Amino acid sequence: MELRPQFNEFLQDIRPSERHKEEWKRGSNTLRTRLLADPDLGPLITTTFLQGSVRRSTAVRPTGGKRSDVDVVVVTTIDHNVETPAVAMKRFEPFLDRFYEGKWEQQDRSFGIEMSYVDLDLVITALPTEPDARAALQKLYRSQAVQTDESIEERNDWVLNKSWDPSRANGGLVVLAEDASNWRDDPPWLPDRTIKDWGPTHPLAQIQWAAEKNRQCYGHYVSVVRSIKWWRHEHASDLPKYPKGYPLEHMIGHVLPDGITCVAEGVVKAFEGLRDTFRLEAMNGMVPTLPDHGVPSHDVLKRLSAEDFAAFYKEAAKAADLARRAYDEPDRDVSGSLWQELLGKCFPLPGPGGGDRDRGFTTPAAAATPRQSGRFA
């Protein structure tokens, strides 16, 4: 059974709470405000924006005493052809010492900031240096579409468009044709301390892809991702450490078909998609290659070992069988028990008279929209 009321209750339980949202918005907005006001860094900064699972609405609530985690991207005019990653990142250390002394550490591609209520990842990027491309991109990056701290679940009408206006009802879904720019072809550059060089990165493309996918799935895509992330949490002892986080999310998006009408259907089809799509790689001791939505030359699963993938695939295939049984089971109590076996005790069992009324039409979580072209103003 679909058990929509039980899934709604389950999703409410595993989502970040309003307190968590307030914490990551307060911590990230404070950091962004301080960066722009800094006398040394401010003149170099075109904008700041949020990325990561909280921005894409795929985060689950922190467990085990962990804090909310949010990524803040800083888009600068640093010349990546002249300045090394080490020098570029060094620029930010006085700022971090002034505001976050004893709370930050340098990572390979970012700075980690640990606070009492939130963990922040400060990601430094540089715009392309070609003048026309930089000028066009600066208009986009300074737009409300980029600078908003609302998630794609909070604003289902969000699109990556410099004319997107959050005050306009449904204003984001109409993509204006004027001043179209090939933003996909001009990703910002990310310093990598390990290889001592800069490389392309495109978090906005990942957010835009997730927003469009969510609309194509009537608003259920992000809930499917959260559900499977929670499955991973509940079955951590049977699963390898990787894949998790964004690579797992990317895999789900890759196999999940458009047009799903409820979360239960999406969970079934996602697990079955993982099982069926990657069967040959698992049989042959290989790892799939999945191009990044923003930088296709990047393989999202590049760091995943064949051993970890094989172990993950084995458990995902088991989950596919269990999810299908739960979905096809006509008895609400048996179905509820199967869903709970899959997703853990957070999934509530149906009470007397609970469960699905029928498989007829129900109002979707969000309206689907036609797929848009790759060009945005």
Side-chain angles (χ1 to χ4, degrees):
M1 299 183 79
E2 295 174 358
L3 298 185
R4 292 173 187 257
Q6 285 69 42
F7 264 99
N8 288 338
E9 187 176 339
F10 165 69
L11 288 164
Q12 183 63 33
D13 193 16
I14 69 170
R15 283 188 180 97
S17 67
E18 290 303 316
R19 177 179 63 82
H20 292 130
K21 292 179 184 178
E22 190 279 330
E23 288 172 346
W24 65 252
K25 286 188 177 184
R26 173 160 52 96
S28 61
N29 286 336
T30 298
L31 173 59
R32 295 167 73 184
T33 299
R34 287 170 171 172
L35 284 165
L36 291 171
D38 187 83
D40 297 318
L41 298 176
L44 298 172
I45 296 174
T46 293
T47 194
T48 64
F49 67 91
L50 302 185
Q51 69 161 345
S53 59
V54 295
R55 180 70 179 83
R56 297 189 304 272
S57 300
T58 57
V60 296
R61 64 174 170 83
T63 60
K66 294 181 181 178
R67 297 175 289 271
S68 300
D69 184 12
V70 62
D71 299 341
V72 176
V73 178
V74 182
V75 182
T76 74
T77 56
I78 292 171
D79 189 338
H80 62 88
N81 294 314
V82 174
E83 202 157 300
T84 67
V87 171
M89 295 185 79
K90 193 77 173 177
R91 287 176 177 268
F92 287 79
E93 292 184 8
F95 167 85
L96 291 166
D97 282 336
R98 185 158 61 252
F99 290 106
Y100 302 99
E101 185 176 7
K103 300 176 182 178
W104 68 271
E105 65 174 357
Q106 187 172 0
Q107 300 168 153
D108 288 340
R109 300 178 182 179
S110 63
F111 292 101
I113 303 173
E114 292 187 5
M115 304 182 68
S116 61
Y117 61 96
V118 69
D119 288 337
L120 302 169
D121 227 24
L122 179 59
V123 182
I124 316 303
T125 67
L127 286 170
T129 56
E130 197 280 317
D132 290 341
R134 172 172 286 193
L137 288 169
Q138 283 182 316
K139 292 180 181 179
L140 175 64
Y141 278 93
R142 287 170 175 156
S143 69
Q144 294 184 79
V146 173
Q147 296 184 24
T148 181
D149 64 4
E150 291 185 291
S151 70
I152 63 174
E153 191 173 46
E154 292 171 314
R155 290 302 303 245
N156 186 62
D157 67 345
W158 180 87
V159 291
L160 185 55
N161 183 307
K162 66 180 177 61
S163 299
W164 183 79
D165 184 352
S167 67
R168 222 169 48 213
N170 209 36
L173 289 178
V174 180
V175 179
L176 305 181
E178 70 270 14
D179 299 325
S181 61
N182 289 322
W183 60 269
R184 289 182 183 275
D185 299 332
D186 295 301
W189 292 80
L190 178 73
D192 191 317
R193 186 174 63 165
T194 303
I195 64 174
K196 300 179 181 179
D197 200 0
W198 297 76
T201 185
H202 223 328
L204 284 178
Q206 295 176 350
I207 300 168
Q208 190 273 336
W209 189 93
E212 185 175 343
K213 182 68 175 180
N214 197 48
R215 288 191 287 269
Q216 295 302 318
C217 292
Y218 297 102
H220 298 307
Y221 167 67
V222 296
S223 295
V224 172
V225 173
R226 283 190 177 121
S227 298
I228 295 179
K229 283 186 174 181
W230 197 259
W231 162 80
R232 198 199 184 294
H233 165 73
E234 288 291 319
H235 298 272
S237 61
D238 299 320
L239 287 159
K241 185 175 181 180
Y242 302 105
K244 64 178 183 177
Y246 182 72
L248 176 59
E249 177 182 332
H250 189 104
M251 293 171 73
I252 296 166
H254 179 74
V255 302
L256 184 68
D258 293 343
I260 57 171
T261 58
C262 68
V263 181
E265 178 192 10
V267 170
V268 172
K269 290 186 174 179
F271 274 124
E272 290 181 340
L274 292 170
R275 179 195 64 197
D276 300 341
T277 303
F278 302 128
R279 189 189 306 273
L280 287 178
E281 287 88 347
M283 289 175 56
N284 292 288
M286 301 169 61
V287 178
T289 298
L290 291 182
D292 183 78
H293 297 307
V295 185
S297 61
H298 289 177
D299 177 11
V300 174
L301 303 182
K302 181 180 179 180
R303 299 186 179 185
L304 182 62
S305 71
E307 293 76 16
D308 280 352
F309 176 73
F312 170 81
Y313 178 86
K314 179 181 178 182
E315 296 305 316
K318 291 180 183 177
D321 293 340
L322 181 56
R324 173 56 67 181
R325 288 169 53 205
Y327 187 67
D328 289 344
E329 173 56 54
D331 184 281
R332 70 171 186 269
D333 296 322
V334 177
S335 178
S337 295
L338 291 170
W339 282 121
Q340 192 177 82
E341 182 181 346
L342 179 73
L343 299 171
K345 294 297 184 181
C346 282
F347 191 90
L349 298 176
D356 302 330
R357 297 294 183 266
D358 55 52
R359 288 281 182 96
F361 176 80
T362 58
T363 304
T369 58
R371 284 205 176 275
Q372 302 161 5
S373 70
R375 298 177 66 86
F376 294 79

